[in-house]
Amino acid sequence: MYNIAIDGPVGSGKSTLAKMLAKRLDFHFLDTGALYRGMACYFRYKNIVEINENSINSIIDEITVKVKFIDNVQHVIVSGIDFTSNLREEEISMLSSKISNYPQIRDKILDIQRDFAKEYDCVLEGRDIGTVVLPNADLKIYLTANEKTRAQRRYEQDKLKNPNISYQEILKDLKERDFENEHRKIAPLRPAEDSVIIDNSDINLEQTCDLCENIFKQKIANK
Ligand code: DC
């Protein structure tokens, strides 16, 4: 199976790129952030919003995570509850970032991600795909863009759902999440040594996707 790993910070465009690239190559696509988001929804559902070692341990054994594809939409089912419609809520963004610092949480979904990659030609998108989940991926992309560009993109997206949201709020949230993701002890966000680093601040999605597709095809041709 061919596996492509795409990692990068919030708002770098990983998810849109991963979907587009998967479509062009006729590969499957897995949004791994959605798995952390699903677990965060379960924490909130159980009224656990104070995240620490004790609160994680109090609930971890009852958590089961499943991924299902229904009409091409990735659904995340945690302990029997389908949280798909809540995954993108702002509160869940922050909560998922917090719980993702804990190894108990990361271990829960490691095998789901690896099994998916064994079963399908696929593009996996996340934070630690190239460094931890799929160290032998055929291509590892680390996608980034400058802070302001990323915040602006998030702002354009989020204001459609929430017209009261401000750019400054998004920038602040993005900096916080960057810090959390880059400084956690386990699986911190960083480029894998053998990744191709792409800064897409000044190129559009189509151009970014062309670039990745060409690099992938060259890699495969040279194998
Ligand atoms: O990509 P996202 O914003 O949907 O991810 C939500 C959170 O999950 C993110 O703040 C960090 C965490 N995450 C992670 O730790 N490792 C991944 N592979 C994907 C996401």
Side-chain angles (χ1 to χ4, degrees):
M1 292 296 156
Y2 288 121
N3 295 161
I4 300 179
I6 301 184
D7 293 302
V10 178
S12 57
K14 324 178 276 305
S15 163
T16 327
L17 169 67
K19 273 184 214 149
M20 187 184 271
L21 188 59
K23 196 164 179 201
R24 282 196 196 178
L25 297 169
D26 202 17
F27 280 15
H28 286 74
F29 159 68
L30 184 69
D31 169 2
T32 66
L35 307 177
Y36 293 93
R37 286 173 180 271
M39 280 199 268
C41 289
Y42 190 71
F43 273 74
R44 186 180 62 179
Y45 169 77
K46 287 281 183 168
N47 280 325
I48 301 178
V49 285
E50 198 63 50
I51 302 302
N52 53 46
E53 200 68 41
N54 283 342
S55 63
I56 297 267
N57 287 336
S58 73
I59 197 178
I60 194 73
D61 289 341
E62 67 187 73
I63 295 182
T64 58
V65 184
K66 288 208 174 90
V67 181
K68 253 195 203 165
F69 289 85
I70 304 172
D71 295 334
N72 264 335
V73 176
Q74 178 180 324
H75 285 243
V76 180
I77 295 132
V78 181
S79 304
I81 305 171
D82 188 336
F83 287 109
T84 309
S85 60
N86 305 105
L87 298 178
R88 310 308 307 179
E89 290 172 20
E90 207 43 48
E91 189 190 359
I92 295 303
S93 300
M94 229 45 216
L95 199 54
S96 60
S97 181
K98 290 209 159 63
I99 63 167
S100 68
N101 290 327
Y102 291 82
Q104 304 93 311
I105 294 286
R106 306 198 72 82
D107 284 352
K108 277 273 167 192
I109 55 169
L110 191 58
D111 285 346
I112 298 179
Q113 299 170 80
R114 287 187 174 155
D115 289 348
F116 190 86
K118 263 190 223 148
E119 195 170 348
Y120 305 109
D121 290 324
C122 61
V123 182
L124 260 68
E125 170 263 306
R127 301 290 192 291
D128 61 340
I129 309 302
T131 50
V132 176
V133 179
L134 303 177
N136 298 319
D138 299 280
L139 171 64
K140 299 177 184 178
I141 303 283
Y142 187 84
L143 189 67
T144 188
N146 64 50
E147 233 170 46
K148 288 191 175 144
T149 305
R150 293 190 285 120
Q152 186 63 36
R153 285 178 187 161
R154 262 293 139 95
Y155 175 62
E156 301 296 337
Q157 248 177 27
D158 291 1
K159 76 176 179 193
L160 300 174
K161 287 178 286 175
N162 177 4
N164 297 325
I165 199 125
S166 75
Y167 168 81
Q168 287 308 333
E169 220 175 304
I170 298 225
L171 184 63
K172 179 174 164 283
D173 174 82
L174 181 136
K175 285 183 182 175
E176 251 177 73
R177 284 177 65 203
D178 276 356
F179 188 87
E180 291 240 9
N181 292 176
E182 286 164 13
H183 291 86
R184 65 179 177 220
K185 287 202 194 85
I186 301 136
L189 172 65
R190 60 176 173 78
E193 273 174 22
D194 50 351
S195 63
V196 179
I197 300 178
I198 299 177
D199 183 323
N200 71 355
S201 307
D202 299 314
I203 56 172
N204 67 29
L205 179 64
E206 203 75 40
Q207 292 165 320
T208 313
C209 195
D210 288 346
L211 194 62
C212 295
E213 190 180 356
N214 289 337
I215 299 170
F216 176 69
K217 287 187 170 159
Q218 256 172 30
K219 279 207 169 233
I220 295 308
N222 292 338
K223 269 200 170 176

